[in-house]
Every structure is written in structure tokens, then in C-alpha cells.
């Protein structure tokens, strides 16, 4: 804390001071609410809504609403919100981030602002990091909302569109960030308003907000469809990569690249990049029979080679991904250690890894819709979040999301002992020390949670502990099915747990064990199925005797195990509480703080220590080489820990370097998506006009005038000589929109016409034809045809546009070599491409509206232009066959009509090429 903050107090201190009177007011209502019957308490929901309708604000009713929620929690769950939890609730309602230590009851805190804001009937989204937590919290905390007369929904993977719609229409909806984002994109691909799932985005409470808004923000959400590119080249490139030798360097140096390196390619570990050397380029040209690999026409081959080199030089099995028989290549989340099913690496890297591991190489895909998490969550009218670790990223939260961070004090004093880092000369010395300390703890019965950063290292430690005969649980992406159970029991006496970062979130570790989890395990042994066990722990009303019996049994088990865990808890406290051992510093200080935070909850005793080696990736790549040299010179043995201020500051500086670099990556992603976001909003608003059933006749009439004016001024410019005017060009470009006879009439007497005269005459003719079509089809059918044609034109061209933008963005970085700013170039080119797309949409919609043939009584059906069987993240690959909007048409198609295939070309220049006139 700086001198200024010591004198004037921190931002959080000031915020807490302002909130204190509100907390006092909430507490003043506690006796009143306690005196009410259950029915009277439920009736408060109706009364609150009536008061809001009469003009009161949410802030006006906050003290009473929070008091009602607190009383409901006591009656339903036996849990009473502490004052610090009330403070957290106020901070969330204000649209801020509440930083609360692990074990302070963040999940219960969320019920306060969720109930209050749900009273406005606009829907509240509580966002979690995975399906398990969304389902658990909806059942667990949902009891409070149901008791108070609100509806609760949950969005998890695998729900139908109707199930999703029902969940989003509830007062409070629990969902993961991925499902919310993908549903937003899917909603902007539907063809009828009734198919929409989400309501307007009103208020979101993001649990583990740093994980979702910071860690996940480097990866955009993408929905894709089947591409047409062959996968053969990935296998060829992989076969070539297998013949090459590699040189690993910490950081690319021009000297490294200019000197005659013997190896074929270089891997820059820090930048995670690869590059062929002179020898490698020569081998590539020989292997693929090329004269010059750098020629533009060899760009695709060069790209495949580069991805193959990344697959071999940078991506490591059981660290970056795992190989599963049923799923192929599955990415491992670098922050949580969880398997990321459905995600695929972008730009062909996933296919390159598939080729490397000799599993089926899937086809590349075509992007249909995409958005970053930053731009998605910024669409909420009000956004808030909670986490145990937010302050280190406070600047980014404020810069990107305009969110302040308020640090909430703990309910009980923190008594966990955080020991200084134990730094070792090499990895062998570090792991030997970890195993030795685990052995000592196990002998006393002190539970230990060992945090690792990869599957590979968790399995290595497991083997070392097995050799010592120490029983333990291993939790990593290969063994995640029992995650919640393993983590919940990590505080039992004598328990040793090895876990990747996935253990850091979502599940409370109670000293002595968790009675609820033990009760559920006992229920399984009694033969109860998972659905019955889940219902036994729910608040839902039921007359089902099996469920009622299961509930009685479950609560008996909970009571029995609560007594047992209480006895166990005392034993664990006596030996010092849970000991957290971190085997490596993570790139982000937040991840380390999350691991530490698993111990010392609610005033519990606990300990934490990180074991570090100078050979760890973080120290090797980002630490100072001088330190390594100094330690080597002093001759420290490998099993002796080194403690010094220089080392501590070096570790923190290394983490700050990586955090800064990762922030730059996230900001870079956002800067590019901001450009697309403006275009996305325009396109989605055009679609919404169709879905809302807006009358588009005036829209088409304006398009008619605009298009005729544009084309006429191009071919018959008022400042050019009339003998240079190209009437034939107008005829070609406006074929179907205006009658050929009118063009012919103008052509015969061209000298008597001015440019504006031609425009007026063509607009009148097109308008008359439009009115005639409406009389022919009838007004209702014509309105629907207008919507269908616009929807089809927008969807087809938007899909092509975002894929083209994606391709353009991949190569835009090369502009830097020409002393041009790639972002400026991207903005300029994407704008030009967007303008061109809009012109194409107008031309295609007009051509179709004037040429489509529909008989009275025929149905006009809207279909998606493209459908995806599943969504993906950052280059994921959900493939499905294309579908196009269809209208029943006559069998005869004119040669100048739009081709029925939907290409936008004339029939004679497309499917009708080669046909002879009748």
C-alpha cells in the first residue's frame, strides 16, 4: 500500500464506507421479516413488483428485498447472510466486481442482487465456468428463489431450443459463458422470431469473473459450417515435418536467424512461434517440388508447413491436448486443466495436430458467426462479477468493461500461514522436496493439496508418491468425472490430493470432509440412481413416494456425516489445517492466489508454499539469466532451498511480464473484433427487422431508387459525353428489375435524356412493376416474400463476408513489414469489404424480389442459409450441410432471371450455361 492510500484510504475503503448505511438499514428490517409467516414472506415478491410498477426504483426497495432474501435463505437452507455478504450483494447490484476470498460464500452472495433485479422481470443471468456448477447452483441456490415465488432456469449443453427458450424466460437463469455466447449467435441465425431463445440482455452476475472475462477473453466464440478444403495437405505437411531437425531457443534473436543454423527449423519458446531456417526452406522446396517457397502462389503450402511445425515444436501431448479414442484431439485449458470438448484450434492447427497424432483429420470449416466474450458481455445493460482474485487485473476490468473492483473484508480473520517460496536449483531437487514434505504431513495426518500446471506433471508426482507408499487422489483432465467429490474431500484427515488448476474453482473444501458429498456417496451404495439423488437434495415439490423416501434417507446420512466431519475437522485443525503445495508458479499471479485460497476459509487454519526450480518454464523463459548464473556460481546443491529477496522479486517480475503480454494479446483480439462488432450490429439489426415482421416495402423502394441511381450514374454520368454512355451496362445490371422495353426506349432516343431523366424513368418503371407484383401475389404474401428475400441475401453474404474477413486478418500482420499499421489496414479494408457486401445484398435482394415466381396459395418458407451441428471456440469445427431459403417456383426460369441455386448470378451465366433458347 502506497503512502497516498495509507493517508486517504483505498478505493475499496471509500466504497465500503458509502455502503455501510445501507447494511444498517437491511439489518433494521430483519426482525420484521423474521416475524412474517412463509406465505407473508412469499407475498413480498408480489408487493415489491407492485411498488416498482408504481414508480419506485430497485435502490428504493433494496434494503427490504435483501432482508427478505436473507430470511428465505435461513428458512430454506439454514444459512444466514453475514454482513460482509450483504456488502458483496450491494457491490454486485451496483454493477461492480466484488473480490471475496475463497470460502466467504460468493454463491450465496449472488442470491441477493439476483432476487432484487429479478423483480424488474427483465431476467437475470448468473454465469458460471462450467455446466456442473450451473446445474449445482441452480438447484442449490434456486431453492431460495422458488420459495419466494420466482422461476429458475438452467442452460447446459445438449438442451433443445424450446428448453433453452423456457430457461431464458425464467426470472433467474444459470448458464455458462459459452452457452450464453453461442445462444446469442444462434439467435442471430434463426429465421422466425418464435425461434429466438434469449430475451434482451439485462443483468449478468459473473461468478469467477476473472476466469471468464480475462482468461477466456483470448478465445473468440465461433459457429462454423462445413468447408470444402481437402485435408490431404495436412498429412503431407506432417510427413515432411517428421523429417526435420529442430533448434529450441528462449527468444528469437536476429543473430539466431541470420547465422547459418544447422537445424531445419527454430522454435521460439517465449513467443510460441516457429520458422524454417535456410536448410529447412531448401528441404521444403525439394519435398514439395517448388522453385521458391516464398512465392505468393505457394502461400497455402507454406501455411500448412508452418502449422505442422507448430504441432510438432510447440504443442505437447498431455499438456496442451489429450488424445481420446472417441473424441480424437481434445484441448486442455491452460488455466483450469479441464478438457475443452467441442473446441478446436484455429487456422488449421487442430488438423495439423490430428495429422501428427494419426487420428482422423477433420475438414476445415467456414465461419458463420463469431463474437468475442468482451463484446458479448459488454452488451448487457448491467454487468457485475465476483471472484477471489481480481485486483491484479483491476486496470483491465476498468479499461475493457468499465468495471470497478471492490475488495470485501473477510467474515473471520485470515489465519492461513503463507510460507516464502522454496526455490531449488533444478526440477529434481524441487520434486524431491515436495515428496519429502508430503510424507511428513501424511505422517501427522495433515491433509495436503498439491497443485500442478499440467497432466504430465501431476502424473509424475503421482508415481513418486506411489513409490513412497503414500495413498493419494489424482485429479486432472484425464480423471475429471469425480472432480467435485475429490476436491470436496481434500480437507479430510490424512488425505493427499494432486490436482491441476481445475481444483481451484467452484467447490468448497471443508476441513474434515463434506457431509453432503459423503451422503450422496452413501446413497449410491444404497442403489439410488443419480437423478433420484439429485431430486433428494432439491426443494421441488413432489408427491413421488420414491423421491420422498430418498429425501428422508439423504437427510439422515447428512446428519450422520455432519457429526463425523465435525470430529474430523477438529483433528485437522489440531495438525495445522489444509496444506497447499504449489509445484510451480503459474504465468498469472491470480492462478497462484486461487490455489492458495483453497486453504484458510472462514478463519480456518491452513498453510501454503510454492516450490520453484530455476528450470521451470516461467523462470527459464521470463526470469533473469543473471540469477541462474549467480546460483550456479555459488554452487548450491540441488536439494537445498534458496531464499532471497532477489529471487522473490525475479519471480514476481516474470509473472508481471507474462501478464502484460497476455493483456496485449486480449486487447489485440478486442481491437480487431471491435471493427467486426460495428458491422455485426448493423447486420443483426437488419435481420431483426425481418424477424419482427416489419413492413419492408419502403425499405425495398429506397433500395430500388438507390441501386438505379448508382448504376445509372456509373454508366451514364452527367459529366461524360452521351456517346460514351453505356445503356447496355444498365440493362445487364438491372436485368429483372426494370423492363427491357424501357431500356430500349431510352436507348433509341438517348440524346434527349439527361442522367436524372433516365433515373426517374427507371425508378417509375421499377415501382410500377413492384406494385403489379404485389397485386399479383397479394399484400400479405408480398410482405413475407420481402422478408424472405432480404433474410436470404443478408445471411448468404454475411457468412461469406466474415469468412473473407477472417482470411484477410490472418495475413494482415505482414503489412507491418511495409511500415504500415496492420490494425489501420484491417479497419480500412474491412470497411471497404463491408460496403461491397452491402451493395451485393441490395443487388441480390432486388433481383430476387423482382424475379421470384410464386403462385397464389403457395407457401413461402424461410430456412437457414447455413446450419451448424455444434458451436465451437477459436477455430472449432462444427460441420453440417448447407441449407438455403426456398420458395416454390415455376419450372420455367428465364435466362436473365436470378439462378434458382442462389448464387446471385443470372441463370444463363450459372446453371443455365450452355442451354439453347426455345
Amino acid at each position: 500500500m502506497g503512502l497516498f492510500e495509507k493517508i486517504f484510504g483505498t478505493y475499496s475503503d471509500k466504497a465500503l464506507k458509502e455502503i455501510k448505511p445501507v447494511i444498517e438499514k437491511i439489518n433494521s428490517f430483519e426482525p420484521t421479516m423474521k416475524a412474517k409467516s412463509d406465505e407473508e414472506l412469499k407475498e413480498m415478491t408480489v408487493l415489491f413488483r407492485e411498488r416498482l410498477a408504481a414508480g419506485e426504483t430497485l435502490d428504493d426497495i433494496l434494503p427490504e428485498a435483501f432482508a427478505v432474501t436473507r430470511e428465505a435463505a435461513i428458512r430454506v437452507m439454514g444459512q444466514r447472510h453475514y454482513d460482509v455478504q450483504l456488502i458483496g450483494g450491494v457491490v454486485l447490484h451496483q454493477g461492480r466486481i466484488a473480490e471475496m476470498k475463497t470460502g466467504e460464500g460468493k454463491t450465496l452472495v449472488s442470491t441477493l442482487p439476483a432476487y432484487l433485479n429479478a423483480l424488474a422481470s427483465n431476467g437475470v443471468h448468473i454465469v458460471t465456468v462450467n455446466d456442473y456448477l450451473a446445474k449445482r447452483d441452480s438447484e442449490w441456490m434456486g431453492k431460495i428463489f422458488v420459495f419466494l415465488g420466482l422461476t429458475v432456469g438452467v442452460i447446459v449443453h445438449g438442451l433443445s431450443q424450446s428448453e433453452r427458450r423456457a430457461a431464458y424466460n425464467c426470472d433467474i437463469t444459470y448458464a455458462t459463458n459459452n452457452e450464453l455466447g453461442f445462444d446469442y449467435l444462434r439467435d442471430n441465425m434463426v429465421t422466425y422470431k418464435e425461434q429466438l431463445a434469449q430475451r434482451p440482455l439485462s443483468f449478468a452476475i459473473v461468478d469467477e469473473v476473472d476466469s471468464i472475462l480475462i482468461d477466456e477473453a483470448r478465445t473468440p466464440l465461433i459457429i462454423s459450417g462445413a468447408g470444402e478444403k481437402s485435408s490431404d495437405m495436412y498429412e503431407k505437411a506432417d510427413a515432411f515435418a517428421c523429417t526435420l531437425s529442430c533448434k529450441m531457443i528462449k527468444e528469437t534473436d536476429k543473430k539466431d536467424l541470420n547465422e547459418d543454423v544447422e537445424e531445419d527449423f527454430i522454435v521460439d519458446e517465449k513467443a510460441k512461434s516457429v520458422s524454417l531456417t535456410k536448410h529447412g526452406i531448401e528441404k521444403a522446396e525439394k519435398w514439395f517440388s517448388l522453385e521458391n517457397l516464398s512465392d505468393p502462389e505457394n502461400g497455402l503450402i507454406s501455411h500448412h508447413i508452418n502449422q505442422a511445425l507448430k504441432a510438432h515444436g510447440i504443442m505437447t501431448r498431455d499438456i496442451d491436448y489429450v488424445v481420446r479414442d472417441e473424441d480424437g484431439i481434445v484441448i486442455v485449458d491452460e488455466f483450469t486443466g479441464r478438457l475443452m470438448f467441442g473446441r478446436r484450434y484455429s487456422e488449421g492447427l487442430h488438423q495439423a495436430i490430428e495429422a501428427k497424432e494419426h487420428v482422423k483429420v477433420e475438414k476445415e470449416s467456414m465461419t458463420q458467426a463469431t463474437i468475442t466474450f468482451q463484446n458479448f458481455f459488454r452488451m448487457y445493460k448491467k454487468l457485475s462479477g465476483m471472484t477471489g482474485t481480481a485486483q491484479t487485473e483491476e486496470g483491465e476490468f476498468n479499461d475493457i468493461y468499465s468495471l470497478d473492483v471492490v475488495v470485501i473484508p473477510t467474515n473471520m480473520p485470515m489465519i492461513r500461514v503463507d510460507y516464502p517460496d522454496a526455490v531449488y536449483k533444478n526440477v529434481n531437487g524441487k520434486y524431491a522436496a515436495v515428496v519429502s514434505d508430503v510424507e511428513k504431513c501424511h505422517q501427522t495426518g495433515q491433509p495436503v493439496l498439491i497443485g500442478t500446471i499440467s497432466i504430465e506433471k501431476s502424473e509424475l508426482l503421482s508415481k513418486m508418491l506411489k513409490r513412497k507408499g503414500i495413498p493419494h487422489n489424482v485429479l486432472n483432465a484425464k480423471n475429471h468425472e469425480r472432480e467435485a467429490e475429490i476436491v470436496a474431500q481434500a480437507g479430510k484427515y490424512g488425505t493427499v490430493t494432486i490436482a491441476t488448476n481445475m481444483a481451484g474453482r467452484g467447490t468448497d473444501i471443508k476441513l474434515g470432509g463434506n457431509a453432503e458429498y459423503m451422503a450422496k456417496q452413501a446413497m449410491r451404495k444404497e442403489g439410488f440412481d443419480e437423478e433420484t439423488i439429485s431430486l433428494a437434495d432439491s426443494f421441488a415439490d413432489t408427491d413421488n413416494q420414491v423421491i420422498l423416501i430418498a429425501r428422508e434417507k439423504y437427510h439422515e446420512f447428512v446428519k450422520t456425516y455432519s457429526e463425523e466431519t465435525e470430529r474430523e475437522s477438529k483433528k485437522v485443525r489440531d495438525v495445522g489445517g489444509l496444506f497447499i503445495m504449489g509445484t510451480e508458479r503459474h504465468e498469472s499471479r491470480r492462478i497462484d492466489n486461487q490455489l492458495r485460497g483453497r486453504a484458510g476459509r472462514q478463519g480456518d487454519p491452513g498453510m501454503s508454499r510454492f516450490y520453484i526450480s530455476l528450470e521451470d518454464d516461467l523462470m527459464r523463459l521470463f526470469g533473469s539469466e543473471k540469477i541462474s548464473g549467480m546460483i550456479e556460481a555459488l554452487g548450491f546443491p540441488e536439494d537445498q532451498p534458496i531464499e532471497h529477496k532477489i529471487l522473490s522479486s525475479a519471480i514476481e517480475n516474470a509473472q508481471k511480464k507474462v501478464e502484460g503480454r497476455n493483456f496485449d494479446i486480449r486487447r489485440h483480439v478486442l481491437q480487431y473484433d471491435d471493427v467486426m462488432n460495428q458491422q455485426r450490429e448493423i447486420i443483426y439489426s437488419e435481420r431483426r427487422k425481418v424477424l419482427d415482421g416489419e413492413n419492408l416495402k419502403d425499405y425495398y423502394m429506397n433500395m430500388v431508387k438507390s441501386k438505379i441511381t448508382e448504376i445509372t450514374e456509373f454508366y451514364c454520368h452527367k459529366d461524360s459525353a452521351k456517346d460514351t454512355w453505356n445503356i447496355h451496362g444498365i440493362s445487364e445490371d438491372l436485368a429483372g428489375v426494370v423492363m427491357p422495353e424501357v431500356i430500349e426506349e431510352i436507348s433509341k432516343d438517348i440524346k434527349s435524356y439527361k442522367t436524372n431523366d433516365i433515373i426517374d424513368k427507371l425508378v417509375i418503371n421499377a415501382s410500377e412493376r413492384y406494385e403489379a407484383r404485389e397485386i399479383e401475389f397479394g399484400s400479405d404474401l408480398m410482405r413475407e416474400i420481402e422478408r424472405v428475400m432480404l433474410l436470404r441475401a443478408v445471411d448468404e453474404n454475411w457468412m461469406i463476408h466474415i469468412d473473407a474477413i477472417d482470411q484477410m486478418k490472418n495475413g494482415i500482420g505482414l503489412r507491418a513489414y511495409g511500415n504500415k499499421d496492420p490494425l489501420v489496414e484491417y479497419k480500412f479494408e474491412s470497411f471497404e469489404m463491408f460496403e461491397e457486401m452491402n451493395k451485393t445484398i441490395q443487388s441480390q435482394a432486388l433481383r430476387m424480389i423482382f424475379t421470384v415466381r410464386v403462385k397464389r396459395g403457395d407457401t413461402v418458407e424461410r430456412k437457414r442459409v447455413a446450419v451448424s451441428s455444434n458451436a465451437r471456440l477459436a477455430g472449432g469445427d462444427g460441420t453440417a450441410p448447407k441449407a438455403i431459403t426456398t420458395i416454390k417456383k415455376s419450372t420455367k426460369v428465364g435466362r436473365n432471371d436470378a439462378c434458382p441455386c442462389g448464387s446471385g448470378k443470372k441463370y444463363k451465366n450459372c446453371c443455365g450455361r450452355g442451354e439453347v433458347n426455345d
Side-chain angles (χ1 to χ4, degrees):
M1 184 183 291
L3 180 62
F4 183 87
E5 290 178 336
K6 285 181 179 178
I7 297 172
F8 297 103
T10 64
Y11 177 82
S12 294
D13 291 336
K14 294 172 186 174
L16 296 175
K17 190 175 180 181
E18 291 171 1
I19 293 171
K20 187 179 178 183
V22 181
I23 305 306
E24 290 172 353
K25 199 166 185 182
I26 296 168
N27 287 331
S28 71
F29 282 109
E30 188 166 20
T32 305
M33 300 309 167
K34 198 170 285 296
K36 292 182 181 292
S37 66
D38 285 359
E39 286 305 314
E40 288 173 328
L41 203 61
K42 292 175 186 178
E43 186 63 24
M44 290 301 295
T45 299
V46 178
L47 295 175
F48 285 142
R49 282 181 162 161
E50 289 174 353
R51 286 167 61 181
L52 288 173
E56 287 192 63
T57 66
L58 291 177
D59 288 339
D60 293 333
I61 65 171
L62 184 151
E64 290 170 87
F66 273 33
V68 165
T69 311
R70 175 195 258 176
E71 183 59 29
I74 293 169
R75 298 187 191 189
V76 172
M77 302 177 63
Q79 295 185 26
R80 178 183 178 276
H81 295 83
Y82 303 123
D83 281 4
V84 291
Q85 290 175 312
L86 298 178
I87 294 171
V90 173
V91 168
L92 293 176
H93 167 67
Q94 291 173 341
R96 294 163 149 183
I97 292 173
E99 178 175 297
M100 303 183 72
K101 299 298 181 189
T102 301
E104 290 296 302
K106 291 188 289 292
T107 310
L108 186 62
V109 169
S110 66
T111 60
L112 297 162
Y115 173 72
L116 172 64
N117 285 266
L119 296 171
S121 301
N122 295 320
V124 174
H125 294 168
I126 300 180
V127 189
T128 67
V129 293
N130 59 50
D131 281 354
Y132 163 75
L133 291 176
K135 190 169 187 301
R136 184 202 72 176
D137 292 353
S138 68
E139 294 171 353
W140 185 22
M141 295 297 147
K143 300 172 186 176
I144 298 172
F145 304 128
V146 172
F147 176 82
L148 290 172
L150 298 181
T151 54
V152 180
V154 60
I155 304 287
V156 292
H157 185 68
L159 296 183
S160 67
Q161 192 74 350
S162 60
E163 289 171 325
R164 289 173 184 275
R165 194 177 306 112
Y168 281 121
N169 281 326
C170 289
D171 295 308
I172 295 163
T173 306
Y174 286 83
T176 66
N177 50 313
N178 291 340
E179 293 298 325
L180 286 169
F182 282 133
D183 282 339
Y184 168 76
L185 292 176
R186 291 188 195 103
D187 272 3
N188 284 287
M189 297 172 73
V190 302
T191 53
Y192 290 95
K193 190 173 184 178
E194 296 73 30
Q195 296 168 341
L196 292 171
Q198 291 181 343
R199 291 190 277 171
L201 303 174
S202 179
F203 177 43
I205 301 169
V206 184
D207 194 8
E208 307 300 359
V209 66
D210 55 324
S211 175
I212 291 172
L213 298 190
I214 301 289
D215 297 339
E216 298 273 357
R218 286 161 63 181
T219 308
L221 292 161
I222 298 172
I223 289 180
S224 61
E228 298 174 358
K229 298 175 185 175
S230 168
S231 62
D232 294 348
M233 186 53 72
Y234 289 106
E235 281 140 355
K236 291 175 183 175
D238 180 73
F240 168 65
C242 290
T243 68
L244 303 181
S245 58
C246 169
K247 179 180 181 179
M248 306 287 288
I249 62 172
K250 283 172 60 174
E251 188 170 14
T252 300
D253 190 305
K254 289 183 180 178
K255 183 185 172 191
D256 290 326
L257 298 179
N258 290 335
E259 65 185 9
D260 191 14
V261 178
E262 293 182 4
E263 289 81 5
D264 299 314
F265 71 102
I266 293 172
V267 173
D268 181 338
E269 291 186 89
K270 189 179 285 188
K272 294 187 177 179
S273 64
V274 295
S275 56
L276 284 170
T277 63
K278 180 182 175 182
H279 294 300
I281 292 170
E282 289 172 357
K283 286 186 178 181
E285 290 169 347
K286 186 176 180 181
W287 184 278
F288 292 98
S289 303
L290 306 174
E291 285 189 17
N292 184 357
L293 181 63
S294 301
D295 284 347
E297 60 264 29
N298 297 327
L300 188 60
I301 293 175
S302 180
H303 173 73
H304 279 85
I305 292 172
N306 196 56
Q307 296 304 75
L309 297 182
K310 281 185 180 178
H312 283 272
I314 294 173
M315 311 308 293
T316 306
R317 183 170 176 165
D318 288 345
I319 292 179
D320 300 296
Y321 64 90
V322 296
V323 182
R324 291 167 60 108
D325 292 338
E326 66 275 24
D327 301 301
I329 305 299
V330 183
I331 299 173
V332 177
D333 189 306
E334 65 174 305
F335 296 104
T336 66
R338 289 187 173 89
L339 293 181
M340 300 160 78
F341 294 101
R343 292 195 189 185
R344 292 177 66 83
Y345 292 115
S346 61
E347 299 174 21
L349 178 58
H350 209 96
Q351 285 88 345
I353 297 172
E354 288 168 336
K356 167 190 169 183
E357 297 293 349
H358 306 294
V359 300
K360 182 185 176 185
V361 179
E362 301 291 343
K363 284 185 179 180
E364 288 193 54
S365 55
M366 185 175 186
T367 302
Q368 297 172 2
T370 178
I371 193 170
T372 59
F373 280 121
Q374 291 106 319
N375 273 322
F376 172 71
F377 279 105
R378 291 196 301 192
M379 286 190 292
Y380 279 91
K381 289 179 183 175
K382 184 165 71 174
L383 179 65
S384 67
M386 49 190 182
T387 180
T389 48
Q391 266 204 305
T392 56
E393 314 291 349
E394 186 172 10
E396 184 168 352
F397 281 123
N398 207 292
D399 186 31
I400 304 296
Y401 303 100
S402 300
L403 287 171
D404 299 327
V405 176
V406 178
V407 180
I408 312 298
T410 56
N411 183 52
M412 302 283 286
M414 171 71 73
I415 62 171
R416 184 186 67 230
V417 180
D418 296 327
Y419 292 109
D421 295 345
V423 184
Y424 292 83
K425 184 178 173 181
N426 57 36
V427 171
N428 291 337
K430 176 181 75 172
Y431 284 142
V434 171
V435 172
S436 174
D437 286 354
V438 170
E439 192 171 21
K440 291 173 187 172
C441 290
H442 190 60
Q443 287 170 358
T444 66
Q446 183 174 16
V448 178
L449 175 62
I450 308 168
T452 65
I453 66 168
S454 71
I455 299 167
E456 180 186 49
K457 288 170 182 174
S458 66
E459 292 179 344
L460 171 64
L461 266 171
S462 178
K463 288 177 184 176
M464 295 177 75
L465 291 179
K466 281 177 183 175
R467 284 199 291 268
K468 289 284 186 179
I470 299 172
H472 59 278
N473 293 311
V474 180
L475 176 59
N476 59 36
K478 286 184 173 180
N479 174 29
H480 65 95
E481 291 82 2
R482 294 172 56 234
E483 175 187 345
E485 184 182 326
I486 291 172
V487 175
Q489 298 299 83
K492 285 191 73 175
Y493 185 80
T495 299
V496 177
T497 308
I498 302 173
T500 50
N501 293 321
M502 66 197 306
R505 306 227 123 156
T507 306
D508 209 9
I509 301 177
K510 295 179 181 177
L511 299 187
N514 189 302
E516 287 82 7
Y517 282 97
M518 294 167 75
K520 288 177 182 178
Q521 189 63 22
M523 294 280 283
R524 292 186 188 103
K525 289 179 181 178
E526 292 273 326
F528 289 96
D529 59 68
E530 292 300 322
E531 186 179 358
T532 304
I533 294 171
S534 177
L535 289 169
D537 187 31
S538 76
F539 190 68
D541 291 331
T542 180
D543 295 326
N544 188 315
Q545 288 301 309
V546 174
I547 303 301
L548 292 172
I549 292 169
R551 279 185 183 170
E552 190 175 340
K553 193 79 173 174
Y554 172 72
H555 290 297
E556 282 178 15
F557 279 131
V558 169
K559 185 178 178 182
T560 301
Y561 287 119
S562 293
E563 294 169 358
E564 182 182 321
T565 55
E566 190 56 42
R567 291 192 299 271
E568 286 271 304
S569 175
K570 187 178 184 309
K571 289 167 64 179
V572 174
R573 289 169 190 276
D574 291 342
V575 294
L578 178 65
F579 198 144
I580 302 294
M581 296 185 184
T583 59
E584 202 162 324
R585 283 285 193 175
H586 196 272
E587 287 184 351
S588 168
R589 287 169 292 169
R590 284 184 298 104
I591 309 297
D592 294 340
N593 292 336
Q594 288 158 16
L595 181 60
R596 273 198 209 277
R598 305 314 296 164
R601 59 175 289 283
Q602 285 292 332
D604 285 342
M607 305 173 185
S608 74
R609 168 169 271 156
F610 280 89
Y611 298 76
I612 299 166
S613 114
L614 296 180
E615 293 178 345
D616 292 346
D617 288 345
L618 180 72
M619 294 303 296
R620 191 169 54 80
L621 297 176
F622 296 94
S624 170
E625 290 185 5
K626 290 180 182 178
I627 292 173
S628 300
M630 180 184 72
I631 300 302
E632 195 67 41
L634 292 172
F636 276 94
E638 69 174 31
D639 60 348
Q640 181 179 331
I642 312 156
E643 293 183 14
H644 198 283
K645 284 184 178 179
I646 294 177
L647 286 174
S648 299
S649 61
I651 292 165
E652 187 169 353
N653 287 335
Q655 289 179 306
K656 285 179 179 177
K657 281 183 190 176
V658 185
E659 287 168 0
R661 189 190 65 171
N662 289 341
F663 176 44
D664 288 341
I665 292 171
R666 291 188 291 268
R667 186 165 51 191
H668 179 77
V669 169
L670 182 60
Q671 284 172 335
Y672 279 85
D673 193 60
D674 279 343
V675 179
M676 276 297 290
N677 199 49
Q678 295 171 13
Q679 300 178 7
R680 186 187 299 117
E681 287 175 357
I682 293 170
I683 290 298
Y684 286 173
S685 68
E686 293 296 299
R687 293 190 93 260
R688 196 51 67 101
K689 289 177 184 176
V690 176
L691 301 187
D692 288 341
E694 189 173 315
N695 187 329
L696 300 176
K697 183 175 181 178
D698 289 343
Y699 181 83
Y700 273 93
M701 288 295 96
N702 289 332
M703 270 205 294
V704 165
K705 186 170 183 178
S706 172
K707 184 56 64 177
I708 289 175
T709 301
E710 176 194 337
I711 291 170
T712 304
E713 288 182 344
F714 179 77
Y715 288 112
C716 301
H717 198 276
K718 62 181 179 180
D719 294 332
S720 60
K722 290 187 178 182
D723 57 3
T724 64
W725 285 5
N726 183 1
I727 299 298
H728 177 72
I730 296 177
S731 179
E732 282 284 310
D733 284 7
L734 291 177
V737 178
V738 295
M739 296 297 289
E741 304 91 85
V742 178
I743 300 287
E744 190 176 340
E745 181 185 330
I746 295 169
S747 180
K748 286 178 181 178
D749 193 19
I750 190 68
K751 290 183 180 178
S752 67
Y753 283 92
K754 293 180 181 179
T755 303
N756 287 341
D757 295 336
I758 297 174
I759 291 171
D760 291 342
K761 192 172 185 68
L762 295 179
V763 168
I764 290 170
N765 178 254
S767 300
E768 288 173 349
R769 288 197 66 219
Y770 204 95
E771 294 296 341
R773 304 211 101 213
E774 183 166 340
I775 292 169
E776 178 189 351
F777 299 146
S779 295
D780 291 344
L781 182 57
M782 189 65 178
R783 297 291 83 80
E784 182 61 12
I785 292 171
E786 289 168 347
R787 297 181 195 113
V788 169
M789 293 297 96
L790 181 59
L791 193 66
R792 174 173 168 177
V794 166
D795 285 356
E796 283 184 358
N797 289 284
W798 174 244
M799 188 178 71
I800 292 168
H801 174 72
I802 58 177
D803 196 64
I805 287 284
D806 210 29
Q807 298 298 323
M808 185 262 288
K809 186 170 65 177
N810 289 339
I812 203 75
L814 298 174
R815 306 286 176 89
Y817 291 108
N819 293 321
K820 293 181 179 179
D821 185 336
L823 180 60
V824 172
E825 292 290 299
Y826 174 77
K827 288 178 178 178
F828 181 75
E829 288 202 20
S830 63
F831 175 77
E832 286 192 330
M833 292 166 72
F834 186 68
E835 289 291 295
E836 194 61 37
M837 180 200 68
N838 277 327
K839 290 178 182 178
T840 306
I841 288 173
Q842 287 188 9
S843 297
Q844 187 173 326
L846 282 178
R847 199 180 294 274
M848 289 191 293
I849 200 79
F850 276 99
T851 57
V852 66
R853 301 183 181 187
V854 185
K855 294 178 182 178
R856 279 187 177 274
D858 275 356
T859 57
V860 181
E861 185 181 359
R862 305 180 200 171
K863 288 187 179 180
R864 285 193 185 185
V865 167
V867 193
S868 176
S869 59
N870 51 29
R872 63 189 173 96
L873 291 175
D877 196 353
T879 59
K882 270 191 180 183
I884 60 171
T885 310
T886 57
I887 293 181
K888 292 185 180 178
K889 301 179 181 145
S890 68
T891 55
K892 179 68 177 173
V893 182
R895 286 176 54 72
N896 284 315
D897 287 349
C899 188
C901 75
S903 66
K905 297 178 181 179
K906 293 181 182 179
Y907 180 65
K908 66 181 181 184
N909 295 327
C910 191
C911 299
R913 188 183 291 119
E915 287 188 7
V916 181
N917 283 319
D918 294 337

